[in-house]
Amino acid sequence: MGTGFSFFSRDIPSSSPPIKPGLGDLPESCVSSILMSLDPLEICKSAQINKAFRAASLADFVWESKLPSNYKFLVDKVLDLESLPKKELYAKLCQPNRFDGGTKEAWLDKSCGQVFLAISSKALRITGIDDRRYWSHISTEESRFHTVAYLKKFWWVEALGELEFEFPPGSYNLYFRLQLGKTCTKRFGRRVCTVDQVHGWHIKPVRFQLSTSEGQHAVSECYLHEVGSWVHYHVGDFVVNKPNMPIKINFSMVQIDCTHTKGGLCLDSVLITPSKFREKLIKCT
């Protein structure tokens, strides 16, 4: 009897097999280091893996590594708030943030944290803008600023702008967002654009220019010919080399050939984007 019992007892494992370590066993500091190598959207997705990843995804040093080098300037310039956790700060900076009396707007691209900037037509010095015989301001949902400058008819077309801003080091493009035709409210759910006042743009090209306080210059010319849709006209590029240093930019669009009038033009805004987004912007135009 005792012999039989000892025989069967040898087939019973003395202890259960060792449990293999999983992702949940990684130290939070280790997980945080892993998350620093991911982009912001991947970090948010990783937070759903387990508690360790969720806790690590909230670490300030993780999100500070995703913020642009000029984020303190952006906080002072466009945000009016107390100190926030870096993840919340990143989220707020990814939203469109107005400054300079609501005539300018800055935001970060959610996927990479690079800086974008838009300047309303109301922030530009436009020749004749106060004379309603030639220019008017039109309300429209097609502008991020909800208003555009509309040229009815004039000989001298000149829009000048300037900006002093701190950009992270990198290469940037500057565009004028224009449309030939007057945008109207939607009718029966369809977009309506009247083009009866469009004239004069095929005779001579529009001249675009930019210059910076660091001695960079760019000039481009083109005819405005695409009627009824918004187009981003590329003015030129500039490069920022010095971190945490404001740069001054002057830019303009001019068509001052007084042998003929021009009209039917909507001037929405000026857009500054990182150069890597140029192809994407052209496709969306």
Side-chain angles (χ1 to χ4, degrees):
M1 187 77 174
T3 304
F5 177 80
S6 62
F7 172 79
F8 284 110
S9 66
R10 284 195 293 267
D11 293 332
I12 300 174
S14 58
S15 61
S16 56
I19 299 175
K20 294 181 179 179
L23 290 175
D25 299 305
L26 289 172
E28 185 177 317
S29 59
C30 180
V31 176
S32 297
S33 298
I34 294 172
L35 296 184
M36 288 181 67
S37 66
L38 305 180
D39 66 42
L41 298 181
E42 291 171 336
I43 294 173
C44 293
K45 291 179 181 178
S46 299
Q48 303 173 13
I49 294 177
N50 56 40
K51 291 182 178 179
F53 274 77
R54 184 162 57 252
S57 71
L58 300 174
D60 269 359
F61 74 88
V62 170
W63 285 98
E64 187 159 14
S65 70
K66 305 306 169 185
L67 287 164
S69 61
N70 71 330
Y71 82 89
K72 292 181 181 179
F73 169 85
L74 290 174
V75 170
D76 292 338
K77 188 75 172 176
V78 307
L79 295 181
D80 182 19
L81 44 75
E82 300 296 329
S83 178
L84 286 176
K86 293 300 188 291
K87 182 179 180 180
E88 292 184 34
L89 181 59
Y90 188 92
K92 282 191 174 291
L93 289 175
C94 286
Q95 300 170 3
N97 296 284
R98 297 276 178 91
F99 62 101
D100 283 0
T103 62
K104 299 180 179 71
E105 197 170 84
W107 68 97
L108 305 183
D109 180 81
K110 291 181 180 179
S111 64
C112 62
Q114 293 199 332
V115 177
F116 287 70
L117 190 72
I119 303 165
S120 167
S121 59
K122 288 190 174 182
L124 307 180
R125 300 191 306 277
I126 302 174
T127 301
I129 190 66
D130 296 324
D131 194 327
R132 294 200 175 188
R133 292 175 297 172
Y134 309 124
W135 286 89
S136 62
H137 291 288
I138 300 175
S139 298
T140 174
E141 295 178 357
E142 296 183 355
S143 169
R144 66 174 55 250
F145 296 100
H146 306 297
T147 184
V148 300
Y150 178 67
L151 173 64
K152 303 171 187 176
K153 181 180 179 180
F154 205 35
W155 290 268
W156 187 290
V157 178
E158 183 178 44
L160 311 175
E162 59 184 11
L163 171 74
E164 183 172 1
F165 199 79
E166 184 181 307
F167 290 93
S171 177
Y172 296 86
N173 300 145
L174 189 144
Y175 306 86
F176 272 83
R177 186 174 188 256
L178 309 172
Q179 176 183 259
L180 291 180
K182 183 179 181 181
T183 298
C184 302
T185 56
K186 291 183 179 180
R187 298 175 185 172
F188 306 107
R190 298 182 62 184
R191 181 179 186 271
V192 177
C193 183
T194 58
V195 298
D196 55 299
Q197 290 183 313
V198 175
H199 70 282
W201 301 105
H202 66 289
I203 301 173
K204 291 289 181 66
V206 174
R207 185 179 180 87
F208 299 99
Q209 296 186 76
L210 76 79
S211 62
T212 74
S213 55
E214 297 183 347
Q216 302 176 69
H217 300 273
V219 178
S220 63
E221 291 187 347
C222 69
Y223 290 90
L224 309 188
H225 55 80
E226 192 164 341
V227 179
S229 60
W230 291 104
V231 178
H232 289 92
Y233 290 91
H234 181 227
V235 177
D237 309 333
F238 63 93
V239 176
V240 176
N241 294 310
K242 300 176 182 177
N244 306 317
M245 288 289 290
I247 184 172
K248 292 182 181 179
I249 307 168
N250 290 281
F251 46 88
S252 64
M253 64 166 286
V254 178
Q255 216 289 23
I256 56 176
D257 182 354
C258 295
T259 61
H260 65 285
T261 62
K262 283 76 66 175
L265 174 72
C266 281
L267 196 173
D268 173 30
S269 59
V270 170
L271 182 64
I272 298 176
T273 74
S275 294
K276 64 177 288 187
F277 288 85
R278 181 176 182 181
E279 185 177 345
K280 181 179 178 181
L281 182 66
I282 292 173
K283 290 180 180 179
C284 294
T285 296

